[in-house]
Amino acid sequence: MFQPISADLSPVFARFVDERSPVDVSRRGGAERPPLWSALVEEVGAAGLLVSEEHGGQGASLTELAAAVAETARCGWSGPLVATAGATVDLLQTADPDDESGLLTEIAESGRIVVTAFHEDARGSLLDVATTLTGAPGAQRVDGRKTFVDSGTHADVLLVPALDDAGTLVLARVDPAGPGVTITALESVDPGRGLATIDLTAAPAEVVVTGPDLTSALHDAWLTGALLTGVDLLSAGIRAFTLARDYSLVREQFGRPVATFQSVKHNLVDMYGELQTAYSAVATAIALGRPADPDSWRFGASAAKARAGDAAMRVLRESVQVHGGIGFTWEHEVSHHFRRVVTGRAMYGTPTRHRALVAAIRGF
C-alpha cells in the first residue's frame, strides 16, 4: 500500500522493534528514559545514523533515520530518536562540524541523550531568545525558561540557546542534573516523549558554539525535528488506517461486515487519500535532503509537517469511529496512536505555524 521509506533498512528496523517494543510494551513509556534506547544505540546504531564515520557514526542520510523513526512510531514508541539523533545531531553537524565539543561522538558511540531546548513560548514555535548567559568563561551561568522540550526528562546533556552580555546568540551546554536546573515533566497525553519545562536559575554553563550562522542552524535543526515528527505522524496514521480497514472487514452489523456500508467505505477512502498526500509530502522532503537552495529544504520540511499533522489527526479520529466503542478504550491499540498523534501534531510547530512558514517562503 505504502512503500517503505528505506527498502534496505525499514525491514531491519521493523523486525527489531516488533521483537523488542511492540505496542503493548511501547505504551508503558513514561517520563523515565525508555529501555529500548540502549538497544537502538548498541545493536542497530540508530543514534549515530546522521553522524559522520569520522566521529563514530554511520554517515547515513535522513532517509535511514526516517526509516527508524517510522518503524518505532508504527509500534507506538516514543523516545529521544527525533530529539537527539535527528534535531540535535543536525544542529551539531552544522554548528560544530569538527566536533570540538565531543558531543557528536558521545551520541554516536555511547548513546548520550543530548537534547536541544528550542522553545520559550506557549505555542511551541521558534521566537526571539530571552534566556541569558552571563559571566566570564569558566564561570558562566544561564537564566531563563525553556518549554515543550522534547525528551527533556530523558536528557543527559541540555543544549540551550541564550544571549550573552553583548546580545550575541550562543549555544550553551548545561548539565540537567546540575545546580540551578529544574526539570518539570509535562502532563502530556503521550508521556513517553518526555516533554518537559526547564527552568534555569544561574545554572552553570559552557558555550559550545557561537557565531552569525547559529540562528539559521537552530532553525534548520528545528525543521529537521519537524520533518521527522511528520514521519512519526504519518507512520502512526498508516497503522491506524490499517487497523480500521482490517477491523471493518470482520466487524458485523445487521449480518454483514461494516466495510460494506457506504459511509464506512467513504471514510476509509478519505483516510487513504489523506495519507497519500501526506506520504507524498514527507517522501519528497526526505528525498530533498539539503540542496544548494536552502529554501527548497525549508519549504519541503514545513509542508511535510503541516500535511502529515493534519492528515494523521483526521485519520486517527476516523479510525476511532470505525472501531466503534472499543476504539475509545485505553486497552485498544488505536487509542494509543491517537494520543501520540495529538502530541506530535503540536511538536516542532503546529500545522498552522508551518503553513505560515511555507507562505513566507513563497512571498505571501
Side-chain angles (χ1 to χ4, degrees):
M1 181 174 63
F2 295 94
Q3 293 296 317
I5 290 177
S6 169
D8 295 326
L9 277 185
S10 288
V12 174
F13 285 121
R15 288 193 298 271
F16 176 81
V17 183
D18 281 337
E19 178 182 337
R20 299 299 187 87
S21 193
V23 171
D24 61 338
V25 173
S26 295
R27 71 189 311 161
R28 301 173 198 162
E32 68 280 355
R33 179 175 307 190
L36 184 66
W37 177 249
S38 294
L40 282 168
V41 172
E42 296 165 7
E43 298 181 36
V44 293
L49 280 169
L50 296 187
V51 179
S52 65
E53 294 181 12
E54 176 187 1
H55 299 130
Q58 312 297 320
S61 71
L62 199 59
T63 298
E64 286 72 33
L65 180 56
V69 171
E71 294 307 326
T72 55
R74 179 181 58 82
C75 290
W77 183 80
S78 297
L81 202 54
V82 171
T84 296
T88 295
V89 166
D90 183 280
L91 174 60
L92 291 170
Q93 295 259 78
T94 303
D96 184 22
D98 296 327
D99 197 26
E100 294 182 8
S101 66
L103 291 174
L104 284 171
T105 301
E106 290 183 36
I107 291 170
E109 295 186 349
S110 64
R112 195 109 162 124
I113 300 178
V114 185
V115 170
T116 306
F118 290 103
H119 306 133
E120 297 187 9
D121 67 302
R123 294 184 304 157
S125 59
L126 288 177
L127 293 179
D128 293 336
V129 174
T131 302
T132 58
L133 176 89
T134 56
Q140 292 168 309
R141 301 286 187 269
V142 289
D143 291 272
R145 165 176 280 200
K146 297 292 185 178
T147 60
F148 301 105
V149 180
D150 187 12
S151 282
T153 64
H154 305 151
D156 295 314
V157 176
L158 292 171
L159 293 180
V160 179
L163 299 176
D164 66 13
D165 292 331
T168 302
L169 183 65
V170 303
L171 189 65
R173 174 176 180 163
V174 175
D175 179 359
V181 182
T182 302
I183 298 178
T184 305
L186 295 177
E187 293 185 7
S188 168
V189 291
D190 180 15
R193 291 194 191 269
L195 288 175
T197 296
I198 299 177
D199 290 291
L200 304 159
T201 306
E206 174 189 352
V207 173
V208 173
V209 67
T210 186
D213 296 332
L214 182 55
T215 299
S216 62
L218 280 165
H219 181 67
D220 286 344
W222 178 75
L223 283 175
T224 294
L227 174 54
L228 290 172
T229 303
V231 172
D232 185 303
L233 292 165
L234 173 64
S235 185
I238 292 173
R239 176 60 179 163
F241 169 75
T242 303
L243 290 170
R245 180 201 60 195
D246 293 350
Y247 184 67
S248 71
L249 295 171
V250 297
R251 178 188 174 197
E252 293 188 356
Q253 284 186 350
F254 310 111
R256 59 193 178 111
V258 298
T260 63
F261 299 165
Q262 190 175 48
S263 61
V264 175
K265 286 192 287 188
H266 285 185
N267 266 351
L268 290 171
V269 169
D270 288 343
M271 291 160 68
Y272 181 74
E274 291 278 347
L275 291 172
Q276 281 288 4
T277 58
Y279 179 89
S280 295
V282 169
T284 299
I286 292 171
L288 275 174
R290 288 297 185 86
D293 175 13
D295 280 350
S296 296
W297 150 252
R298 292 164 185 160
F299 180 93
S302 282
K305 178 57 163 65
R307 184 78 282 273
D310 284 344
M313 193 72 259
R314 174 163 186 192
V315 168
L316 264 296
R317 286 173 177 160
E318 296 301 333
S319 181
V320 169
Q321 295 298 325
V322 171
H323 280 87
I326 193 174
F328 290 90
T329 64
W330 186 94
E331 289 79 8
H332 198 277
E333 177 182 344
V334 74
S335 70
H336 177 64
H337 294 298
F338 184 92
R339 290 193 296 275
R340 293 188 71 256
V341 164
V342 168
T343 300
R345 185 175 182 272
M347 291 174 60
Y348 297 98
T350 62
T352 299
R353 173 61 176 158
H354 282 284
R355 281 191 289 271
L357 291 173
V358 165
I361 290 171
R362 287 295 185 259
F364 295 105

